[in-house]
Each structure stands twice: as C-alpha cells, then as structure tokens.
Amino acid sequence: MLIVFFLTALVLPVLGMLLHIDLSPAHRENRTLAPFPRLALNRHAVGLFPEKFRAYFEDRFGFRQTLIGWQARFKVNVLGVSSSRQVILGKEGWLFQPPFDSSLETYRGARPLTPQQLAQWQHILETRRAWLKERGIPYIFVIAPEKHSVYPEYMPDAMTRGKHESRLDQLLAFMKAHSDVTVLDLRPALREAKGRARLYHRTDTHWNDYGAFVGYQAIMRELGKTDPRLQPMAESDFEIYSEQTSGLDLAAMLGVDDVTTEEYIRMRSRKFSIESSGYTSNTLPLMTSERKEQNLPRVVMFRDSFSNYLVPFLNQHFSRAVYVWNNGFDPRLVETERPDFVVQEIVERALLVEPQQDPMSLMP
C-alpha cells in the first residue's frame, strides 16, 4: 500500500497536467508563469533547456494549486508557522508583512536613518515646498503608518521591539528640529481612535475604511489651517458597519484566503452616496475627480495604495482632485493642474528606500 501510494503521488500530477483533469482553482500567484522553452539547435539553447523546462513544469504540474493549498493550511493551522517569507503570523489571526528586505530590522529599530539620509530627506522636502511656495501652493507631507506601528500588541512575542527609534520617529524629530516643512504623523490620531473600531484589516497590509477616515480627518484639519472651507466630515455623518469576506492579500500570500475570513469594517454616509474604492480596484497611475461646486479648491495628491481608501472622503471637498500613484514629485503635472494644494502621502515602509530625486531640472 505504501508503494502504491508513493507511485500514485508521483504519477497523478503528471497525468493531471497531460490529460487536463486538474480541477484545482485557477492560478492566483501575482507573477508570470514560466513559458514552455523553445529548443534551438545550438549548444547554448540545449544547455539552458533543462532548467527552463523544470521552471515550466513546476509552474504547471497537475493539482499544483490544491497541493500548495494543503501544504499552506497544514503549516499555518497545524504547525502554526507561516507558509510565506512575506507574511508574519501575529496573534488572534492578525497577519503582518515584513518590510521590503523581508526582515524586522525596522520594527526593531536596527536600521536607523543615517545623518546623510536625514539631510537628504530634509533637502528634498524643502525643495518641493520652496518650489510650490513660489507658486502660492501649500504643501503637506503625510506618512501612513504600518499596521504594526498602530497594533504592536498583535505582533508575535518573539518579535521584540528594540530601544532605538523607528525611521519614522527619526525623520519626524529631525524635521521638527531642522525644518518647518509640514510632516503629518497620523499615528496619534489612529491610536486615539483604536478604542472605537478596528482601523486595519487583520489579513491585509492596509487600513480599512474607518482607519482611512481617521487619517482623512487629520489631513483635512491640517489643510483647514490654510483654508477654513476644508473641514473634515464628522464621524456621526457615517454609519460604521462590517461585512464578512474571505481573507485578503496577506491571507492569499499564505494560500489560506479561501479558508480565512475577514471582518471588513466599512463606512456608509448618512447624507450622500460614498463607497470605498478599496486598494485592489483603483491602481491606475492617475485618477481624477470633479464636483459641480467650482468655488471649492483644487488638489493634486502624490500617493500610494493607502490613499485608495482616502479618495472617497477627500473627493467631497475639492472641485477637482488629481491623484497620482507616485512616491516622487511631478512639477509638470502641478504646472498643468495649478492646484490650490499639493498633498504627498507615502506609507511608512517607503522610508526604507532612498527618497526619489525630483526632476526640477525639467522645469523652465
């Protein structure tokens, strides 16, 4: 029986591939599958064929998704370990994503910004602010915190915090001491709101509608210091409710999204129709929104995926809003749009990479 089981395990994936009898779910990995290699009659192509065919076969053998799913569920639910290097299993079903280098050095404060990097951030932000100030356009720089910065209590006990400051804390302290550029830290507002409703998805890297709403209120309060018309909507203007959905992006990375649930916290306006765009449905490089009230100000926002949740709220306050997926700065777009405000939003993990140099030399 053991021999029969072993031989069956070897043969079935090949038969599933050749006879197309694999009934497992469609391919869900966020990458391009390896193509069937072309075999040319030369030494170089023949030498590469075995490795390329191996990659092709490993991406397409029969029952692949089913077997991967079984392995993932066994690791997560039985062994209690992550099935992906890109996902950390937290407490009470919370999932976290490590920074870009797949480590927790930033969480532990082990990779501080150097004095040169801090000076570089100061120079870039002040250059943007000065260029905009010449054109009478206020500029604010917003940092959306990582989930573990707001909910460290759900991180696994083995992931201890260090004594060093995070890169975000470093940058905020440095800019406060050496610059007057507005750098908006959303953590105080988010931490204050934690007791009212959950702010981030348990199985996703992003905040939910309510977390985005709290961030939106903080942004509007800052903009309102310049333009009194820009006052945030009140929480009482909305109904907060939840929907049960399947697991989101981190659960999918583990391969357990079909057996994991997410209580999706949503907001519904009591006065007008508003729906959250959600991070998966608005990934175009540029989005625009226009309202009939032409007396309202205009805004250009350079942003990342966290702002997808901000967009439905921000749209209510501007006659024209342009949202650009860009961690840098595009002066030509600003010249074209001539906004009343420029807002820049980046997620905290973006501080792990060098800030993008701005193409100021492109301007006349």
Side-chain angles (χ1 to χ4, degrees):
M1 290 181 64
L2 181 61
I3 293 172
V4 170
F5 177 80
F6 179 74
L7 292 176
T8 302
L10 290 178
V11 171
L12 273 180
V14 179
L15 289 177
M17 179 179 179
L18 295 178
L19 301 179
H20 303 287
I21 59 175
D22 186 358
L23 300 179
S24 58
H27 181 78
R28 296 181 301 168
E29 296 177 50
N30 189 23
R31 63 182 180 88
T32 302
L33 297 180
F36 188 86
R38 297 181 59 184
L39 181 59
L41 298 180
N42 60 72
R43 178 179 297 180
H44 180 71
V46 171
L48 292 178
F49 184 86
E51 178 63 23
K52 290 185 175 181
F53 181 81
R54 180 195 63 79
Y56 166 81
F57 179 79
E58 289 185 354
D59 275 356
R60 290 173 171 79
F61 64 81
F63 312 104
R64 180 177 183 273
Q65 290 299 318
T66 298
L67 294 171
I68 290 175
W70 288 353
Q71 180 199 46
R73 294 172 196 174
F74 181 77
K75 282 187 171 182
V76 174
N77 298 325
V78 179
L79 301 181
V81 298
S82 176
S83 59
S84 170
R85 295 177 59 188
Q86 301 301 314
V87 182
I88 297 169
L89 300 186
K91 301 175 182 177
E92 300 181 20
W94 284 67
L95 304 177
F96 296 87
Q97 184 178 29
F100 293 145
D101 62 350
S102 297
S103 74
L104 283 176
E105 290 176 332
T106 52
Y107 175 72
R108 291 168 169 160
R111 286 185 60 196
L113 290 164
T114 65
Q116 293 78 16
Q117 290 172 320
L118 288 167
Q120 184 182 15
W121 272 107
Q122 178 189 1
H123 171 72
I124 287 176
L125 295 179
E126 288 184 346
T127 300
R128 293 172 186 172
R129 194 273 308 271
W131 186 88
L132 290 166
K133 188 175 181 179
E134 290 178 358
R135 291 153 179 80
I137 304 172
Y139 172 68
I140 67 169
F141 186 68
V142 183
I143 301 177
E146 298 287 352
K147 183 162 66 172
H148 59 64
S149 293
V150 180
Y151 288 100
E153 63 270 26
Y154 292 110
M155 288 287 285
D157 292 332
M159 306 299 180
T160 56
R161 300 297 293 267
K163 297 181 180 180
H164 301 287
E165 289 182 312
S166 68
R167 286 193 167 201
L168 176 53
D169 287 322
Q170 275 188 288
L171 181 63
L172 290 168
F174 185 86
M175 293 298 292
K176 184 177 181 180
H178 299 91
S179 177
D180 59 353
V181 174
T182 301
V183 180
L184 184 57
D185 179 14
L186 300 180
R187 291 176 301 176
L190 290 166
R191 289 167 179 166
E192 190 275 331
K194 280 175 64 173
R196 298 197 292 272
R198 180 160 47 82
L199 303 164
Y200 284 70
H201 298 302
R202 291 185 305 107
T203 61
D204 192 286
T205 60
H206 298 82
W207 50 23
N208 55 34
D209 288 6
Y210 184 66
F213 178 77
V214 174
Y216 142 82
Q217 285 187 314
I219 293 170
M220 294 305 299
R221 284 193 291 267
E222 189 62 39
L223 294 176
K225 295 177 182 179
T226 302
D227 189 335
R229 292 175 296 173
L230 299 179
Q231 299 301 319
M233 295 177 284
E235 187 173 317
S236 59
D237 294 334
F238 295 84
E239 174 192 356
I240 302 174
Y241 66 103
S242 64
E243 294 178 349
Q244 287 292 327
T245 69
S246 58
L248 301 177
D249 68 345
L250 294 180
M253 292 169 67
L254 288 175
V256 297
D257 53 311
D258 55 341
V259 294
T260 304
T261 60
E262 172 75 50
E263 186 185 7
Y264 200 124
I265 308 298
R266 295 189 178 275
M267 298 188 71
R268 180 187 295 120
S269 173
R270 302 182 191 278
K271 298 181 179 180
F272 51 84
S273 175
I274 180 172
E275 294 182 5
S276 173
S277 53
Y279 80 98
T280 58
S281 61
N282 264 324
T283 56
L284 297 176
L286 187 144
M287 297 188 302
T288 61
S289 170
E290 294 188 352
R291 294 180 61 86
K292 296 179 180 179
E293 300 89 333
Q294 294 300 312
N295 61 324
L296 295 176
R298 299 159 60 96
V299 67
V300 166
M301 185 173 189
F302 300 101
R303 54 96 180 195
D304 56 30
S305 58
F306 267 69
S307 284
N308 286 337
Y309 292 83
L310 295 171
V311 165
F313 303 113
L314 294 173
N315 284 346
Q316 311 306 314
H317 299 277
F318 299 98
S319 61
R320 179 172 171 83
V322 178
Y323 306 96
V324 188
W325 196 302
N326 186 350
N327 275 354
F329 183 83
D330 186 349
R332 286 189 168 177
L333 177 66
V334 176
E335 288 280 26
T336 299
E337 290 293 332
R338 298 189 180 278
D340 299 290
F341 294 92
V342 168
V343 178
Q344 181 130 36
E345 177 271 320
I346 67 169
V347 67
E348 183 180 350
R349 71 181 74 117
L351 298 178
L352 285 169
V353 298
E354 297 297 318
Q356 294 188 23
Q357 297 293 332
D358 297 329
M360 293 301 182
S361 59
L362 297 178
M363 299 304 300

